[in-house]
Amino acid sequence: MTVPIPEPSHQDCWMSRDRAVVGRAGAEKGRDGNRRGMDNKGMIDALVGRRAMAASRGDLDSMLIDVADDVVLFDVVVPLRHHGREAVRRRLAEWLGTYEGYPGWENVEVHISTGESVAFAHMISHVTGTLQTGAEVDMWFRTTVGLERRNGRWLIVHDHQSDPFNPGSGLAMTGLRPEPGAGTGVDR
């Protein structure tokens, strides 16, 4: 059964393969700005979900809300890196502009590891949609985000997307899909 995706807000939410779950929407915020009762993994889980939902709405500002000013982005396309929030904003605006409407974005096999002030999450990301050229996109790739807790808030300081490549041909292997039976949800 598919549950309709609610209009998201900047509350804690997670989008999985076929549903959106909004959680702790009424949770009080503590002095550090985080929702009480939510652990670090839960906060990062919500951040990853908010970002995917924002991409699926074409909401550039919401995609950047949890991104540090000094972020480094290693994207699947050239150049080798983008540095700084404004450079990432330009790259995301360019990417969103290649679609008719907005892309669909989901993350599966999400794994989150946290410390007190540093964390990372890695996942398999799936983007779908129709490009302005009419070409259909159905692409799976790897995503890793590095986060730092600054002023009580988790921010993405490193964002890395990649495709494996074939060492014989030197070409990216963009047709890969998650293996059948592999986890398709959050691994906490």
Side-chain angles (χ1 to χ4, degrees):
M1 177 170 111
T2 300
V3 177
I5 297 175
E7 184 60 30
S9 65
H10 294 295
Q11 297 171 346
D12 304 316
C13 57
W14 171 251
M15 187 167 102
S16 69
R17 178 177 291 289
D18 61 355
R19 68 188 187 286
V21 178
V22 177
R24 298 195 189 281
E28 293 179 45
K29 286 191 177 183
R31 278 187 228 191
D32 63 358
N34 292 318
R35 300 201 184 273
R36 288 187 183 149
M38 184 173 271
D39 65 6
N40 287 333
K41 285 185 180 183
M43 286 184 273
I44 293 167
D45 185 18
L47 180 154
V48 168
R50 282 191 307 268
R51 198 162 180 233
M53 291 176 75
S56 295
R57 292 189 324 271
D59 185 346
L60 181 58
D61 289 333
S62 292
M63 290 176 72
L64 290 164
I65 206 162
D66 298 306
V67 174
D69 289 338
D70 59 343
V71 67
V72 174
L73 168 65
F74 293 165
D75 202 355
V76 293
V77 296
V78 296
L80 285 174
R81 82 174 154 257
H82 299 274
H83 186 264
R85 194 167 193 262
E86 289 309 310
V88 171
R89 174 183 288 281
R90 287 189 299 274
R91 172 62 191 122
L92 290 173
E94 174 189 7
W95 175 69
L96 288 170
T98 64
Y99 283 86
E100 282 184 19
Y102 305 117
W105 184 295
E106 68 175 325
N107 295 308
V108 299
E109 299 179 37
V110 176
H111 300 266
I112 300 167
S113 297
T114 64
E116 285 302 312
S117 61
V118 176
F120 72 91
H122 62 88
M123 63 213 75
I124 304 296
S125 297
H126 185 208
V127 172
T128 58
T130 304
L131 297 177
Q132 294 283 341
T133 63
E136 293 295 320
V137 174
D138 184 359
M139 180 179 170
W140 292 88
F141 53 96
R142 304 173 295 196
T143 299
T144 302
V145 291
L147 303 102
E148 286 183 9
R149 191 175 181 114
R150 297 180 179 173
N151 298 317
R153 190 169 158 229
W154 287 106
L155 293 173
I156 297 171
V157 295
H158 182 83
D159 188 355
H160 188 145
Q161 292 106 32
S162 66
D163 281 314
F165 80 100
N166 178 324
S169 69
L171 299 176
M173 299 176 66
T174 60
L176 296 177
R177 305 285 184 260
E179 294 178 23
T184 58
V186 176
D187 176 20
R188 293 179 164 200

